[in-house]
Amino acid sequence: MIFGNPSTTSSSPNARRHTMPPTEEGQFMTKSSPAALRRYRAVAVVGGIAASALAVSGCTASTSTPDSSDGVTTITVATAAVPQFDDIRELTPQFEEAYPDVKVEYVNLPEDQLRDQLTQGVATGSSPFDVVSIGPLEVPLWAQNEWLAPIDDYLAEDTEFDEGDIIPAVASGLTLNDQQYAVPISAESSMLMYRQDLFDAAGLQMPEKPTWADVAQLAEQIQDPSQNLAGICLRGDASWGASMAALNPMINAFGGIWYDEDWNPQLSSPESVAAIDAYLNLQRNYGVPGSSTAGFPECLTAFTQGQAAMWFDATSAGASVENPEVSSVVGQVGYAPAPVDSWDGNGWLWSWNLAITSTSEKQDAAWKYLSFFGSKDYVKLVGEELGWERAPSATRASTYQIPEYMEAAPFAQTSLDMVDLADPTQHPSETPYDGILFLLLPAYQDFGTQVAKEVSDAITSGASGAEVGAAADAILARFAEDNREWADGE
């Protein structure tokens, strides 16, 4: 995938997924530090050519004009093949009933293909889409490149949308220079899920705020190979959205970083090596079979089918864990915060969002779509029509005041607490970049995946954390100057 999402495409239509690792972002910009602003100004340099192309092509925003004689405007929406958008597509007839002057056509693609097609289309001004589904990594970058239309005027006029209800940590990732460019339809951080029934039977207790050392000890005690029960499932596949989605929070927890303030690679530092060793220990000794190829779907299956006693992953996974259509462990699971070590500001932050392309000539109709599926009423619609555990999580504060949701989603409070805690601008020590699930750097998809391959290979090769860290730093060194120049706007 181009920008590997922490969550990978679910193998089940009802399986919820995160969506990853991470990155978010946009939240990156909201902490308006001089360095952060400098980095975002630099994005304009990167996107200058594409922005110029849009200007030359004469693509301008416009209000919607019905494209048929019956006064109906048809909008084209690009969605990712993830469960959150499965729900949206399933409930689109209700939208079209509410807005009979708007019809929706969908293009649904796997995440990697979606990002590829969206990037090529918007960058050349040839995008066929009026609405796109993107993550917090893309929102600020695409907004800076003028590929997205700001929605502030719509928000000001549409008071029923109640933008103040959106959870601040999520909303902050959807703005650039005090303008908002997207609305969230789901959000997540990370948490530790564990089989409460098995822990009770074994006389084990999950600490209120577990450390990674606690997790390793509990995994050793709870695993039972004779019963095909692994101690824990962690993503291990060789992509930044898989193995690095699991490892990056651990690096944060152990006090590690990727680059220091002078862009010197830091994955071979004692802190980072300790995190890598802890990750490899869990995968090799207590992980599920084939852990080096496991992603979100594989861990979801292992945990919900009783083959893993713990699972560290996205908070959005709780919706699938508690969904009786896909899970055999409903009501038997406990939820704990993301484990910590020397630093407790870790976790990740990711969201799926809807945005209007700057090239769309049907922006009024597109806003009706955003307003409907990003609303408080849509949260209730999902709960009532599809099941309350599937209601969009961590997007709106009002969701957590719905008794039906809180009863059906025992993971809800942990999810909200972890999202509130996540801050992509904070690290154990000063860094020249933002991002905790991913690094908000244009080249991260490239070097992040190269590092992920080193980590994934080490699960089976037996390489030490020090060896992995050294190999990773060699990769980071090759990208250091380009990353520095981008961050400095050179």
Side-chain angles (χ1 to χ4, degrees):
M1 63 180 61
I2 296 178
F3 284 104
N5 187 302
S7 59
T8 58
T9 302
S10 169
S11 59
S12 164
N14 294 314
R16 317 296 301 183
R17 117 187 191 168
H18 108 80
T19 43
M20 181 180 80
T23 57
E24 2 166 280
E25 301 320 294
Q27 50 260 33
F28 303 120
M29 336 188 26
T30 57
K31 326 286 181 184
S32 301
S33 67
L37 292 175
R38 183 169 60 251
R39 290 195 284 277
Y40 280 101
R41 284 198 295 271
V43 182
V45 177
V46 176
I49 295 176
S52 298
L54 288 175
V56 171
S57 67
C59 296
T60 57
S62 66
T63 57
S64 300
T65 300
D67 50 13
S68 68
S69 57
D70 58 2
V72 174
T73 298
T74 300
I75 60 173
T76 303
V77 179
T79 58
V82 299
Q84 293 90 331
F85 291 109
D86 291 342
D87 292 347
I88 284 180
R89 288 188 293 274
E90 186 171 349
L91 297 173
T92 293
Q94 284 85 335
F95 165 75
E96 292 178 334
E97 181 179 354
Y99 293 99
D101 59 334
V102 182
K103 294 297 181 185
V104 182
E105 293 182 349
Y106 285 106
V107 175
N108 190 44
L109 297 169
E111 286 184 49
D112 54 350
Q113 295 180 32
L114 175 69
R115 290 189 174 94
D116 201 4
Q117 290 197 17
L118 291 182
T119 302
Q120 293 180 25
V122 296
T124 60
S126 61
S127 171
F129 305 115
D130 300 291
V131 176
V132 293
S133 54
I134 54 179
L137 174 63
E138 291 91 2
V139 172
L141 300 177
W142 289 20
Q144 187 71 54
N145 291 348
E146 300 182 5
W147 296 346
L148 303 179
I151 59 174
D152 299 271
D153 289 345
Y154 291 117
L155 290 169
E157 295 175 5
D158 190 349
T159 56
E160 291 187 2
F161 184 79
D162 191 8
E163 63 173 311
D165 184 49
I166 297 175
I167 292 174
V170 177
S172 66
L174 309 179
T175 62
L176 175 68
N177 297 332
D178 297 325
Q179 287 189 302
Q180 187 163 338
Y181 288 87
V183 300
I185 57 97
S186 72
E188 68 192 26
S189 184
S190 52
M191 66 181 177
L192 181 66
M193 296 160 273
Y194 63 98
R195 288 284 302 280
Q196 184 67 67
D197 58 328
L198 298 181
F199 272 58
D200 290 344
L204 300 176
Q205 184 171 2
M206 178 63 69
E208 183 176 344
K209 193 173 184 179
T211 67
W212 282 109
D214 294 330
V215 172
Q217 183 176 15
L218 291 167
E220 181 179 16
Q221 294 175 292
I222 197 71
Q223 74 171 353
D224 187 351
S226 69
Q227 297 298 316
N228 194 29
L229 178 68
I232 189 169
C233 196
L234 297 170
R235 300 186 196 186
D237 195 22
S239 75
W240 73 262
S243 59
M244 296 315 300
L247 178 56
N248 253 338
M250 297 180 70
I251 292 174
N252 298 332
F254 279 80
I257 56 177
W258 285 57
Y259 287 106
D260 68 13
E261 288 185 289
D262 296 321
W263 292 100
N264 297 308
Q266 295 296 307
L267 289 182
S268 63
S269 70
E271 295 83 2
S272 297
V273 168
I276 297 170
D277 277 331
Y279 170 84
L280 294 175
N281 174 53
L282 289 170
Q283 291 284 45
R284 291 169 180 164
N285 298 314
Y286 317 119
V288 297
S291 60
S292 64
T293 59
F296 180 89
E298 290 76 17
C299 283
L300 173 65
T301 298
F303 189 74
T304 57
Q305 299 310 308
Q307 298 163 5
M310 292 185 285
W311 180 22
F312 172 69
D313 214 291
T315 55
S316 60
S320 294
V321 170
E322 300 297 338
N323 181 355
E325 295 182 19
V326 299
S327 175
S328 65
V329 297
V330 174
Q332 300 173 352
V333 177
Y335 299 90
V340 297
D341 194 79
S342 61
W343 191 68
D344 64 0
N346 61 326
W348 76 48
L349 187 59
W350 176 262
S351 60
W352 275 114
N353 312 284
L354 296 172
I356 303 172
T357 61
S358 60
T359 54
S360 172
E361 296 181 347
K362 305 169 184 178
Q363 294 185 6
D364 287 352
W367 169 252
K368 292 178 181 177
Y369 184 88
L370 266 65
S371 177
F372 184 90
F373 289 107
S375 70
K376 289 184 283 188
D377 287 342
Y378 177 66
V379 173
K380 296 178 181 177
L381 180 64
V382 173
E384 293 169 353
E385 296 292 329
L386 305 179
W388 281 104
E389 76 281 354
R390 292 168 65 173
S393 63
T395 57
R396 288 182 168 276
S398 57
T399 301
Y400 297 85
Q401 299 171 0
I402 301 174
E404 293 90 342
Y405 175 68
M406 298 303 289
E407 181 178 354
F411 53 87
Q413 191 60 54
T414 300
S415 173
L416 180 61
D417 292 344
M418 294 307 298
V419 168
D420 282 342
L421 177 65
D423 185 348
T425 70
Q426 298 298 312
H427 302 90
S429 57
E430 290 296 322
T431 68
Y433 60 83
D434 288 334
I436 49 175
L437 177 59
F438 54 86
L439 277 60
L440 189 54
L441 296 167
Y444 179 69
Q445 58 180 323
D446 189 350
F447 68 79
T449 295
Q450 291 187 41
V451 172
K453 290 179 180 177
E454 296 290 337
V455 173
S456 185
D457 288 347
I459 295 173
T460 54
S461 73
S464 68
E467 292 172 320
V468 174
D473 273 3
I475 295 169
L476 297 187
R478 295 197 294 270
F479 286 85
E481 185 59 22
D482 286 345
N483 288 335
R484 186 195 66 77
E485 290 181 356
W486 181 84
D488 291 344
E490 296 176 1

